Amino acid sequence: MQNATLDSNIYISALEFGGVGQRFLALARAQKLRIDTCHTILDELFGVLRDKFKWDSYRLRFARSELEKLVNIVTPQQSFHVVGDPDDNKIIECAVEAESDCIVTRDDHLLKLKVFQGIPIITPEEFLKER
């Protein structure tokens, strides 16, 4: 089974728009993909859903509870300052801690790196093309 760290924009695609991110959740439900994450990524995700998309507290709690059942949660032990945005660095820290096979994102700052410590950084379409 392959494992991947997803940027929060992939989760937002799945949870708010029903976009390509839904395919990642479906792969995880089918136990064909282990999704690696950490509480910092989940906090960012649900903060965006609350603030930008106006999710109410019930919907936030329910979605977080369901998502936490589906993902592998790690606690990063190392800090990296690779890109200017601390939220982007948290994605890298999570992937390194979880020993993810790849990072999946649409973030240009991360995509420009292409690879970090042997972990490829790719778009959702690149990941899904391989499956």
Side-chain angles (χ1 to χ4, degrees):
M1 175 182 344
Q2 196 169 22
N3 59 323
T5 295
L6 308 181
D7 197 343
S8 59
N9 55 49
I10 307 303
Y11 295 108
I12 290 169
S13 167
L15 298 173
E16 181 62 20
F17 302 108
V20 70
Q22 288 259 0
R23 294 192 51 201
F24 288 89
L25 300 182
L27 287 168
R29 283 186 196 100
Q31 298 182 349
K32 294 181 179 181
L33 172 67
R34 185 184 83 195
I35 297 175
D36 299 320
T37 196
C38 63
H39 288 289
T40 306
I41 294 170
L42 294 176
D43 291 346
E44 176 191 1
L45 164 65
F46 287 100
V48 169
L49 291 171
R50 179 192 63 232
D51 298 341
K52 185 173 181 180
F53 297 102
K54 306 301 182 205
W55 281 31
D56 63 41
S57 60
Y58 174 79
R59 188 175 181 196
L60 290 166
R61 278 193 311 275
F62 179 77
R64 186 166 185 147
S65 173
E66 291 302 304
L67 190 58
E68 286 180 351
K69 293 175 191 174
L70 193 59
V71 297
N72 173 50
I73 300 175
V74 299
T75 303
Q77 301 300 309
Q78 299 179 66
S79 294
F80 296 103
H81 302 285
V82 181
V83 292
D85 184 348
D87 291 333
D88 293 344
N89 289 315
K90 297 298 180 193
I91 302 297
I92 291 169
E93 293 163 4
C94 178
V96 169
E97 184 66 35
E99 299 179 356
S100 295
D101 296 322
C102 62
I103 294 170
V104 180
T105 185
R106 290 196 188 282
D107 184 282
D108 288 334
H109 298 108
L110 289 171
L111 289 169
K112 285 180 188 174
L113 292 175
K114 297 185 181 173
V115 175
F116 183 80
Q117 290 193 0
I119 302 170
I121 302 171
I122 60 176
T123 66
E125 291 76 16
E126 289 172 304
F127 180 90
L128 294 169
K129 186 180 352 174
E130 298 172 8
R131 302 209 55 75

